[in-house]
Amino acid sequence: MPALFGAWAEPLCEAAGLKPGQAVLDVACGTGVTTRAAAERIGPKGRIVGLDRNAGMLEVARRRGSGIEWSQGLAEDLPFAEGSFDSVLCQFGLMFFDDKVQAIREMRRMLRPGGRIALTAWDDEENSPGYARMIELIDEMFGSDAANALRAPFNLGQTERFRSLLVESGLSDATTVTVSGSARFASIREWVRMDVRGWTLAEFIDDAGFEALVEKAEKRLVQFVGTDGTVEFPAPAHIAVWECR
């Protein structure tokens, strides 16, 4: 998770303008990378809640973050009273929601006057060249369904599509900015392990397929490997912020 998401936790919290003592909800919190960063900013007098639909993710989050409320639920039907929070965060979860518009409307419902929603979504896959080439390789080896599973995180990458979703959801005056970033992995094998075991491809690639993909990727994606064997390539993202008035 830190390889892709850790570096974005602080920028998202900064964009939300988190302050000590606030009540903050992190939607699609996963293992709690951003939730823990937010908890540090709001301090012991604040309230921090991490929500995710995946029980396994929450179990890991509970082991890593004390003093945080962890809640299982859907972004489209948040289990909290209207106006419960000063800020709502969502780091790279929006792309996966079944009903993105409803999820954003639920985030709006959570806010108190003056509160903020802060969202991140990956930029277009072609601006993340490592993933553009990995998707091509997955398509070649395992077919379009597997390739589309890895393509899914980038489905809001086109700026116009991202902005259109915000407008449709009632956030027409949200500010958006595209920020440069990098994906970093200890090796090609670790990169493949992240995608196959830890992210979107678990149901498409078995153990034999994993090893075959590592072997092929080590030959085909060498352009992203440094002299020490580590992998790094650009991975920019959009950040959107909306204030409840």
Side-chain angles (χ1 to χ4, degrees), residues 154-213:
F154 304 95
N155 64 27
L156 294 176
Q158 294 183 4
T159 305
E160 288 185 5
R161 184 174 184 181
F162 187 46
R163 284 288 312 164
S164 177
L165 173 63
L166 296 175
V167 170
E168 184 181 358
S169 306
L171 309 189
S172 58
D173 54 346
T175 61
T176 60
V177 62
T178 302
V179 180
S180 60
S182 298
R184 298 182 179 89
F185 303 94
S187 63
I188 289 282
R189 175 173 286 272
E190 276 300 294
W191 178 11
V192 174
R193 187 185 68 81
M194 168 70 182
D195 291 340
V196 174
R197 301 288 186 250
W199 206 10
T200 62
L201 296 173
E203 65 181 280
F204 296 98
I205 301 176
D206 59 16
D207 290 345
F210 172 83
E211 293 299 336
L213 179 56

Side-chain angles (χ1 to χ4, degrees), residues 3-59:
L4 282 177
F5 306 123
W8 293 98
E10 288 297 336
L12 186 62
C13 291
E14 182 68 25
L18 300 189
K19 299 175 182 177
Q22 287 186 326
V24 178
L25 172 63
D26 183 18
V27 178
C29 65
T31 58
V33 173
T34 299
T35 324
R36 293 190 294 275
E40 291 183 5
R41 283 184 172 245
I42 65 174
K45 293 184 179 180
R47 179 193 180 195
I48 179 70
V49 180
L51 177 136
D52 202 275
R53 68 189 301 171
N54 188 300
M57 290 283 193
L58 290 173
E59 182 58 33

Side-chain angles (χ1 to χ4, degrees), residues 53 76 92-98 100 149 152-153 155 199-200:
R53 68 189 301 171
E76 296 90 343
F92 303 121
L94 186 60
M95 303 86 72
F96 299 104
F97 296 154
D98 295 331
K100 298 175 178 60
N155 64 27
W199 206 10
T200 62

Side-chain angles (χ1 to χ4, degrees), residues 37-176:
E40 291 183 5
R41 283 184 172 245
I42 65 174
K45 293 184 179 180
R47 179 193 180 195
I48 179 70
V49 180
L51 177 136
D52 202 275
R53 68 189 301 171
N54 188 300
M57 290 283 193
L58 290 173
E59 182 58 33
V60 175
R62 287 188 182 96
R63 293 199 299 267
R64 296 181 178 178
S66 59
I68 296 172
E69 299 175 42
W70 302 106
S71 177
Q72 187 173 4
L74 299 178
E76 296 90 343
D77 187 20
L78 295 173
F80 310 103
E82 181 175 345
S84 294
F85 297 95
D86 298 295
S87 291
V88 179
L89 311 175
C90 185
Q91 181 181 251
F92 303 121
L94 186 60
M95 303 86 72
F96 299 104
F97 296 154
D98 295 331
D99 188 335
K100 298 175 178 60
V101 171
Q102 175 61 19
I104 294 175
R105 288 174 177 168
E106 277 290 275
M107 294 180 204
R108 287 181 58 193
R109 187 176 67 84
M110 294 296 100
L111 284 185
R112 298 165 181 166
R116 288 184 177 182
I117 295 172
L119 311 166
T120 51
W122 295 114
D123 194 2
D124 192 77
E125 66 190 68
E126 288 303 322
N127 295 325
S128 184
Y131 271 109
R133 303 294 84 77
M134 180 66 83
I135 289 168
E136 291 175 358
L137 183 57
I138 296 290
D139 196 359
E140 175 186 313
M141 296 181 67
F142 302 100
S144 60
D145 287 346
N148 287 337
L150 190 55
R151 189 175 283 116
F154 304 95
N155 64 27
L156 294 176
Q158 294 183 4
T159 305
E160 288 185 5
R161 184 174 184 181
F162 187 46
R163 284 288 312 164
S164 177
L165 173 63
L166 296 175
V167 170
E168 184 181 358
S169 306
L171 309 189
S172 58
D173 54 346
T175 61
T176 60

